[in-house]
Structure formats: structure tokens, C-alpha cells
Amino acid sequence: MSSRRSPRSARPYVAVALALLAVVVVAGAAILRDGSGGGLRPGSGGADGGTDPLAYRDGDRAALERAAADGLAHVLYAKSPGGAVATAQRVARWRPLIEEIAGGDGGTVDPDTLEAIVFLESAGREDARVSDDLEGAAGLTQILAETGTNLLGMRVDVRASERLTRGIARGSKVAARVALRRRVDERFDPAKALAGTVRYLGFARKQLGDRLDLAVAGYHMGVGNLQEVLRRFGEGDDVPYARLYFDSTPVRHPDAYEKLASLGDDSATYLWRVRAAQEIMRTWRADPAALRTLAARQTAKNSAEEVLHPKGSTPIYEDPFALGRARAAGTLRALDADELDGYGIRLDPQMGELAPRLQQSRRLYRALRPEALAVLAYIGTGVRQLAGDDDARLTITSSVRDTPYQRLLTRRNIEATRSYSLHTTGFAFDISRTYSSRAQARAFQFFLDRLTALNLIAWVREPGAIHVTVSGDARRLLGVLDPP
């Protein structure tokens, strides 16, 4: 069997839902400060990272892996069947079997990683399947029929399995049919499915320089595809996946980036979602209450914005006077149209349009926290450069609000939340979805994805705008606004 094949379908049981949030691109461009006053420019990047605060550096690998896991965890909470807590409960019952099987075969894979694959692939359901066509992915670890028979030495009689599956669905002699299906289609036998996954990861490690991180990434995209990405990257086989992912961009290793992007977001970010599932299971064992709290924050909105700024952890602006004081103190920075234009951002003239109803100036509601303004500048300048159009501008339509303004807005805009709004913290802004070109739209998506993977933003697509919430950790981008 070709090494290009993955043991699973491109749309696994849980990842069918993940695909709803799939995005166009997988990483971000290296950006450097141009000391001549020309703003940001594509840079050489590389292992030393140049002067870009977000460029890949070898010493940052562990931190980048954690950030990617955190930044891409939201979909696991939002789309896991029954929620992340219920899924963790289902997956946890397989832990003894997982430890037993992971401990064999020379320690190919650690139990935490194997358990996380179960979480991501089947949500802990041994009868999970992509469709009625059992040539596709099935079982606890979503193995393809062809992979099971040709590579993993499993017994997989698809016709018999489909016939038994129909009988199980009818509710006739269920227990007997389930037992028989496990014999004719070993993908539905949890122990044999887990053992098959361990064998696949062992095969992948041998093909990929004995690297478990690459083997896990290859579990979704296929070993052959990953080998092709590494070949295009051009710096040998011993490249950590974190570097392959974050250092493959349109301006840095563009051929590798193009291949990764062509495989889809589910494949490119699979390792980070496995790491996120590992963290969910660790939290479930150590502190179930903490996982419930985190799950509530992850699902409170359509993005992870309340994880970045839990309610009560970040001050909100209760009235116009609070906004004025924050602007005077520098806690909020005013949005200047000329300054934004230099960063590739256009200020919507309608911003703050409800201010007169509060006897205030529209300008009062044109400000952001410095971290959020830095992210806005970073995105705007990078998008303009990648789109190749110096005249193109993204349009910011909304920034900080106070509580009275937010209350007014909810009366006329069904998209406006009636509960905790991150706009009232100054860490959120909206960008119009009206673009000057497809190239601009793709470039914008590029930066949304990169900053999400770095856990610096959470974002959601609304009917007319992209709503972006910025993490306090984005303070490392402040040099974009105030270069030395």
C-alpha cells in the first residue's frame, strides 16, 4: 500500500463537524519592522526569526505547540458530540485498554497521545463511522478499510460489516450482531483498532525520521503527503512539525506552504487538535470542575473570546466617562484615520454612529487597547503586502463600546450580544467582509489563521464583518506601533 494513504478518512467522525470551521490557509507570513518608516515588510524569517516578534524560533518550539493547542481547541469544545465534558467521560473509560496497548510495541506512542486520537477521531464511540459506506473511516480510531487490510493486517469484510450494521440499526439481535461485526470488521473491535493505530504510528515514525510529532500529523494527512511537504520545505527530514507549520508561508518556504494549504486545515492543524484533546483529558482527570468551567467559557460565544478574557477578569467600560478616563490614561488608544491608513486600514465613517443618542462624540467610540491596535496594524499591513495592492484597505467598522452603547446596539442589531461583550473591554474590533479583491480576502484569512494558531486572537465570521478579540498576550506586538 502506498505510504501516501492515511489510516482514516478526510472527514472523520468528529472532524465532520470540524470541517465546518475549516479555513483557507494554515500559517502566517514572517513580518519584519522596516526601520526606514515603510511599515512592515515580508522578511526572511528563518530559525533565528529575524526581528519579527512572531517569527518561528527553535527555542520557542514548546511554547508554540502549547499556543497552537490552546488557540485551536475551541472547535473541540463546540463540536464534540455532547460537548467536551461528555466526550472526555466517554474517552476516559478506554484509558486502561489504551495504557495496555500503548505500552506494547516498543513504546511507539504514549498513552496520552493515543487517548487524544480517540477523542478527536470518534469522541470515544467504538461504533463511530463516517457514513454507511464502510470502505470509509470507522471505529474507535477511524481507520479506512483499505488501510486496515493492506497496511495494518486487520480483518475487514466490508460487505459483511455493512450487513451487520444495518441489522444493528434495526434493533434486531443487537448484542450478537455487534459481537459478530467485531470479528468480521476488526475496526469495530476497540482493542484491535487501538493496536492498528499503534502499528500505523510505528510505520509512520520509521518513514519520518522516528519523530512522533510528524507521525501523528501524518495520521490525518498521510505519510506520503507529509513527506512531500518536508521535501518542499527543503531542510532535511528532522524538522519538527512546529517549524514545518509556522515557518511555511507564502514568503518563507512557499512551496511547502502551498502543499500544506492544499491538504486543508483539518490536516495541517491535526497535531495541534490532538494536543488540545490531550489537555482536555489531563484536565478531566486532574480537575473535572475546571474542565466544566473552561467548557462553559469555550461555548459561551461562537469563538474562544471568553477564554481569552473571562468575565470579571478584564475591566469593562461602564459609561462614557470611563472611556474618557481610559483614553486620557493611555489604557485606550484613539484610532487616527491617517495612522490607520499607513497600516492598510480604513476607518469606517459610520463608526460610533449611536454616540449622539448618548450625547457623546463618535470619536469617543473609536479607540482600542494598545494590544488590539497593534494586532490590527499587524494584520492590515501584512494583508496589504500579501495581497500585492498598496491601495487596498481593510475597513474597521467597530471598536470599543461602553455598556450604554452596547445596550443601544442590541435594540437594532440582532448580532450584538445582550450579555458580556468583549467590545466593552477594548480588546475587540470588527472588520468589514467587503473586500477589494479575492487576494485581499485570502490574505486576511491567512493572518486570522496564523494569529489564532498563536493563541493571540479569537474570531468569528458574522454576516457583515469578522469579529476579532485580541488576547492580552498580544502585547509583544506593541513594537509595531512604537518601534525603537
Side-chain angles (χ1 to χ4, degrees), residues 55-57 72 74 82 131 133 141 146 173 193 202 204 216 268 279 287 292 337 341 377 390 447 461 474:
Y56 179 84
R57 296 171 176 83
L72 294 165
H74 173 72
S131 68
D133 180 4
T141 54
E146 184 180 2
K173 300 179 181 178
V216 173
E279 185 59 30
D287 191 347
R292 291 189 179 94
D341 185 73
D390 287 341
F447 281 92
R461 185 176 288 107

Short mmCIF file of all heavy atoms in Angstrom, two decimals, residues 55-57 72 74 82 131 133 141 146 173 193 202 204 216 268 279 287 292 337 341 377 390 447 461 474:
data_model
loop_
_atom_site.label_atom_id
_atom_site.label_comp_id
_atom_site.label_asym_id
_atom_site.label_seq_id
_atom_site.Cartn_x
_atom_site.Cartn_y
_atom_site.Cartn_z
N ALA A 55 7.89 35.51 14.42
CA ALA A 55 8.57 34.55 13.56
C ALA A 55 8.97 33.31 14.34
O ALA A 55 9.19 33.36 15.56
CB ALA A 55 9.79 35.20 12.92
N TYR A 56 9.10 32.19 13.63
CA TYR A 56 9.49 30.94 14.28
C TYR A 56 10.94 30.99 14.75
O TYR A 56 11.83 31.43 14.03
CB TYR A 56 9.34 29.76 13.31
CG TYR A 56 9.76 28.45 13.95
CD1 TYR A 56 8.87 27.73 14.73
CD2 TYR A 56 11.06 27.97 13.80
CE1 TYR A 56 9.27 26.56 15.35
CE2 TYR A 56 11.46 26.79 14.41
CZ TYR A 56 10.56 26.09 15.19
OH TYR A 56 10.95 24.93 15.81
N ARG A 57 11.15 30.56 15.99
CA ARG A 57 12.49 30.40 16.54
C ARG A 57 12.56 29.03 17.20
O ARG A 57 11.62 28.62 17.87
CB ARG A 57 12.79 31.49 17.58
CG ARG A 57 12.82 32.91 17.01
CD ARG A 57 12.89 33.94 18.13
NE ARG A 57 13.02 35.29 17.61
CZ ARG A 57 11.99 36.03 17.20
NH1 ARG A 57 10.76 35.53 17.23
NH2 ARG A 57 12.19 37.25 16.74
N LEU A 72 -6.40 26.47 18.96
CA LEU A 72 -7.26 25.68 18.08
C LEU A 72 -8.16 24.72 18.84
O LEU A 72 -8.76 23.83 18.25
CB LEU A 72 -6.39 24.92 17.07
CG LEU A 72 -5.65 25.85 16.10
CD1 LEU A 72 -4.53 25.10 15.38
CD2 LEU A 72 -6.60 26.46 15.09
N HIS A 74 -10.97 25.46 20.48
CA HIS A 74 -12.39 25.85 20.55
C HIS A 74 -13.30 24.87 19.84
O HIS A 74 -14.36 24.51 20.36
CB HIS A 74 -12.59 27.24 19.97
CG HIS A 74 -14.03 27.64 19.85
ND1 HIS A 74 -14.81 27.95 20.94
CD2 HIS A 74 -14.84 27.74 18.77
CE1 HIS A 74 -16.04 28.24 20.53
NE2 HIS A 74 -16.08 28.12 19.22
N GLY A 82 -22.12 15.98 22.33
CA GLY A 82 -22.49 16.13 23.72
C GLY A 82 -21.63 17.11 24.47
O GLY A 82 -21.86 17.37 25.66
N SER A 131 -19.90 7.21 7.35
CA SER A 131 -21.11 7.07 6.55
C SER A 131 -21.52 5.60 6.53
O SER A 131 -20.88 4.75 7.16
CB SER A 131 -20.87 7.57 5.12
OG SER A 131 -19.98 6.71 4.44
N ASP A 133 -21.21 3.81 4.01
CA ASP A 133 -20.20 3.15 3.19
C ASP A 133 -18.99 2.85 4.07
O ASP A 133 -18.19 3.73 4.37
CB ASP A 133 -19.80 4.05 2.02
CG ASP A 133 -18.74 3.42 1.13
OD1 ASP A 133 -18.36 2.26 1.39
OD2 ASP A 133 -18.27 4.09 0.19
N THR A 141 -10.75 4.55 16.24
CA THR A 141 -9.68 5.42 15.74
C THR A 141 -9.83 5.72 14.25
O THR A 141 -8.88 6.18 13.61
CB THR A 141 -8.30 4.79 16.01
OG1 THR A 141 -8.28 3.46 15.47
CG2 THR A 141 -8.01 4.74 17.50
N GLU A 146 -9.31 -0.01 3.48
CA GLU A 146 -8.12 -0.38 2.71
C GLU A 146 -6.87 -0.32 3.55
O GLU A 146 -5.99 -1.19 3.47
CB GLU A 146 -7.98 0.53 1.49
CG GLU A 146 -6.82 0.15 0.59
CD GLU A 146 -6.68 1.06 -0.61
OE1 GLU A 146 -7.46 2.02 -0.73
OE2 GLU A 146 -5.77 0.82 -1.42
N LYS A 173 -31.44 -8.34 17.44
CA LYS A 173 -30.30 -9.13 17.91
C LYS A 173 -29.02 -8.29 17.96
O LYS A 173 -27.98 -8.66 17.44
CB LYS A 173 -30.09 -10.35 17.00
CG LYS A 173 -31.28 -11.29 16.95
CD LYS A 173 -31.02 -12.46 16.02
CE LYS A 173 -32.24 -13.39 15.94
NZ LYS A 173 -31.98 -14.51 15.00
N ALA A 193 -8.55 -2.01 17.05
CA ALA A 193 -8.47 -0.69 16.43
C ALA A 193 -7.31 0.11 17.04
O ALA A 193 -6.52 0.74 16.32
CB ALA A 193 -9.78 0.06 16.60
N GLY A 202 3.78 3.49 14.31
CA GLY A 202 5.11 2.90 14.22
C GLY A 202 5.64 2.94 12.81
O GLY A 202 6.81 3.27 12.56
N ALA A 204 4.68 5.05 10.52
CA ALA A 204 4.91 6.46 10.18
C ALA A 204 6.22 6.96 10.77
O ALA A 204 6.96 7.71 10.11
CB ALA A 204 3.74 7.30 10.66
N VAL A 216 2.14 11.62 14.13
CA VAL A 216 0.77 11.98 14.49
C VAL A 216 0.16 12.89 13.43
O VAL A 216 -0.99 12.71 13.02
CB VAL A 216 0.73 12.64 15.89
CG1 VAL A 216 -0.67 13.17 16.18
CG2 VAL A 216 1.13 11.63 16.96
N ALA A 268 -3.59 20.11 8.24
CA ALA A 268 -2.48 20.96 8.67
C ALA A 268 -2.47 21.19 10.17
O ALA A 268 -1.42 21.33 10.78
CB ALA A 268 -2.54 22.30 7.93
N GLU A 279 -4.86 17.89 26.42
CA GLU A 279 -5.05 18.81 27.53
C GLU A 279 -6.43 18.66 28.14
O GLU A 279 -6.60 18.74 29.36
CB GLU A 279 -4.81 20.25 27.07
CG GLU A 279 -4.86 21.28 28.19
CD GLU A 279 -3.83 21.03 29.27
OE1 GLU A 279 -2.75 20.48 28.97
OE2 GLU A 279 -4.11 21.39 30.44
N ASP A 287 -8.97 17.75 37.38
CA ASP A 287 -9.91 18.71 37.96
C ASP A 287 -11.15 18.82 37.07
O ASP A 287 -11.25 19.74 36.25
CB ASP A 287 -9.24 20.07 38.11
CG ASP A 287 -10.05 21.06 38.94
OD1 ASP A 287 -11.25 20.78 39.20
OD2 ASP A 287 -9.50 22.10 39.33
N ARG A 292 -15.21 21.77 33.30
CA ARG A 292 -16.58 22.28 33.09
C ARG A 292 -16.58 23.80 32.97
O ARG A 292 -17.29 24.37 32.14
CB ARG A 292 -17.49 21.81 34.23
CG ARG A 292 -17.75 20.30 34.23
CD ARG A 292 -18.82 19.93 35.26
NE ARG A 292 -19.09 18.50 35.23
CZ ARG A 292 -18.51 17.61 36.03
NH1 ARG A 292 -17.62 18.03 36.94
NH2 ARG A 292 -18.79 16.33 35.94
N ALA A 337 -7.34 58.21 11.76
CA ALA A 337 -7.55 57.77 10.37
C ALA A 337 -6.27 57.76 9.57
O ALA A 337 -6.02 56.82 8.79
CB ALA A 337 -8.60 58.65 9.70
N ASP A 341 -4.43 54.44 8.06
CA ASP A 341 -4.22 54.34 6.62
C ASP A 341 -2.81 53.84 6.32
O ASP A 341 -2.62 53.06 5.39
CB ASP A 341 -4.45 55.71 5.97
CG ASP A 341 -4.36 55.64 4.46
OD1 ASP A 341 -5.29 55.10 3.83
OD2 ASP A 341 -3.35 56.10 3.90
N ALA A 377 -2.92 46.70 13.33
CA ALA A 377 -1.88 47.22 12.46
C ALA A 377 -1.09 46.09 11.81
O ALA A 377 -0.74 46.16 10.62
CB ALA A 377 -0.95 48.14 13.26
N ASP A 390 -1.04 48.09 -2.83
CA ASP A 390 -0.75 49.14 -1.85
C ASP A 390 -1.94 50.05 -1.59
O ASP A 390 -2.00 50.74 -0.56
CB ASP A 390 0.43 49.99 -2.32
CG ASP A 390 1.76 49.25 -2.20
OD1 ASP A 390 1.81 48.26 -1.45
OD2 ASP A 390 2.73 49.66 -2.87
N PHE A 447 -3.87 35.75 7.91
CA PHE A 447 -3.46 36.30 9.20
C PHE A 447 -4.40 35.92 10.33
O PHE A 447 -3.97 35.74 11.47
CB PHE A 447 -3.29 37.82 9.09
CG PHE A 447 -2.00 38.21 8.44
CD1 PHE A 447 -1.93 38.42 7.08
CD2 PHE A 447 -0.85 38.32 9.19
CE1 PHE A 447 -0.74 38.74 6.47
CE2 PHE A 447 0.36 38.64 8.59
CZ PHE A 447 0.42 38.86 7.23
N ARG A 461 -16.96 34.66 12.17
CA ARG A 461 -17.49 35.27 10.95
C ARG A 461 -18.96 35.62 11.17
O ARG A 461 -19.79 34.75 11.39
CB ARG A 461 -17.33 34.30 9.77
CG ARG A 461 -17.74 34.87 8.43
CD ARG A 461 -17.47 33.88 7.30
NE ARG A 461 -16.05 33.74 7.01
CZ ARG A 461 -15.30 32.69 7.33
NH1 ARG A 461 -15.84 31.65 7.98
NH2 ARG A 461 -14.02 32.64 7.02
N ALA A 474 -0.94 39.62 23.28
CA ALA A 474 -0.51 40.31 22.05
C ALA A 474 0.34 41.54 22.35
O ALA A 474 0.76 42.23 21.43
CB ALA A 474 -1.73 40.70 21.22
#
